[in-house]
Amino acid sequence: MNSYKLNDISVGLTESFTVSITEDMMDKFIDITGDISPIHVSSEYAQAHGFKTRVCHGMLFGSMFSTLAGVYLPGEHCLLHSVETKFSNPVFPGDTLTITGKVSEINDTFKTITIKGHITNQDGKKVCKATIQAGVRE
């Protein structure tokens, strides 16, 4: 876990990590949220609608931006304020995602940072982007 404080952070600071999406993760997300949309639950349904298999919930892989902020950038001193996400491509079980964030703004008065984030799959295709606002505790 990183421990950046506000005075350790500069515009351009970048952190990233990878995660592989599993069927088990998707099933647990369904159990937690109750989102049983058939495109997320049934491979047959997803295939009948043009996908290779069941589609990962956007909010499951989008939640990785919380990990980015809370563990990597800034890490333990983070107080997450907002995450605005835009999904651009589907994610499937077995995909390996790289979650990357880069500091684009620092507000010393309010002790906040803005992070531009994106998620790419194993083929380098962007599947999601985000603008993250985070407070940085001292």
mmCIF file of all heavy atoms in Angstrom, residues 7 45 102 110:
data_model
loop_
_atom_site.group_PDB
_atom_site.id
_atom_site.type_symbol
_atom_site.label_atom_id
_atom_site.label_comp_id
_atom_site.label_asym_id
_atom_site.label_seq_id
_atom_site.Cartn_x
_atom_site.Cartn_y
_atom_site.Cartn_z
ATOM 1 N N ASN A 7 2.029 16.661 -0.094
ATOM 2 C CA ASN A 7 3.296 17.264 -0.534
ATOM 3 C C ASN A 7 4.200 16.274 -1.276
ATOM 4 O O ASN A 7 5.218 16.662 -1.837
ATOM 5 C CB ASN A 7 4.040 17.919 0.628
ATOM 6 C CG ASN A 7 4.389 16.958 1.739
ATOM 7 O OD1 ASN A 7 4.044 15.783 1.690
ATOM 8 N ND2 ASN A 7 5.061 17.468 2.755
ATOM 9 N N TYR A 45 -27.404 -16.642 -22.924
ATOM 10 C CA TYR A 45 -28.110 -15.394 -23.194
ATOM 11 C C TYR A 45 -27.162 -14.378 -23.835
ATOM 12 O O TYR A 45 -27.495 -13.745 -24.832
ATOM 13 C CB TYR A 45 -28.704 -14.820 -21.896
ATOM 14 C CG TYR A 45 -29.488 -13.549 -22.108
ATOM 15 C CD1 TYR A 45 -30.855 -13.591 -22.360
ATOM 16 C CD2 TYR A 45 -28.863 -12.308 -22.060
ATOM 17 C CE1 TYR A 45 -31.581 -12.430 -22.558
ATOM 18 C CE2 TYR A 45 -29.573 -11.145 -22.264
ATOM 19 C CZ TYR A 45 -30.933 -11.199 -22.509
ATOM 20 O OH TYR A 45 -31.646 -10.043 -22.717
ATOM 21 N N LYS A 102 -3.399 8.737 -13.299
ATOM 22 C CA LYS A 102 -2.376 9.788 -13.405
ATOM 23 C C LYS A 102 -2.940 11.063 -12.802
ATOM 24 O O LYS A 102 -4.040 11.499 -13.156
ATOM 25 C CB LYS A 102 -2.034 10.001 -14.875
ATOM 26 C CG LYS A 102 -0.969 11.035 -15.136
ATOM 27 C CD LYS A 102 -0.681 11.087 -16.631
ATOM 28 C CE LYS A 102 0.430 12.050 -16.955
ATOM 29 N NZ LYS A 102 0.735 12.042 -18.402
ATOM 30 N N PHE A 110 -7.975 22.812 -0.755
ATOM 31 C CA PHE A 110 -8.937 21.818 -0.284
ATOM 32 C C PHE A 110 -8.296 20.448 -0.031
ATOM 33 O O PHE A 110 -8.981 19.499 0.328
ATOM 34 C CB PHE A 110 -10.096 21.692 -1.272
ATOM 35 C CG PHE A 110 -10.939 22.923 -1.335
ATOM 36 C CD1 PHE A 110 -10.847 23.777 -2.422
ATOM 37 C CD2 PHE A 110 -11.798 23.250 -0.294
ATOM 38 C CE1 PHE A 110 -11.624 24.933 -2.474
ATOM 39 C CE2 PHE A 110 -12.571 24.401 -0.333
ATOM 40 C CZ PHE A 110 -12.481 25.250 -1.435
#
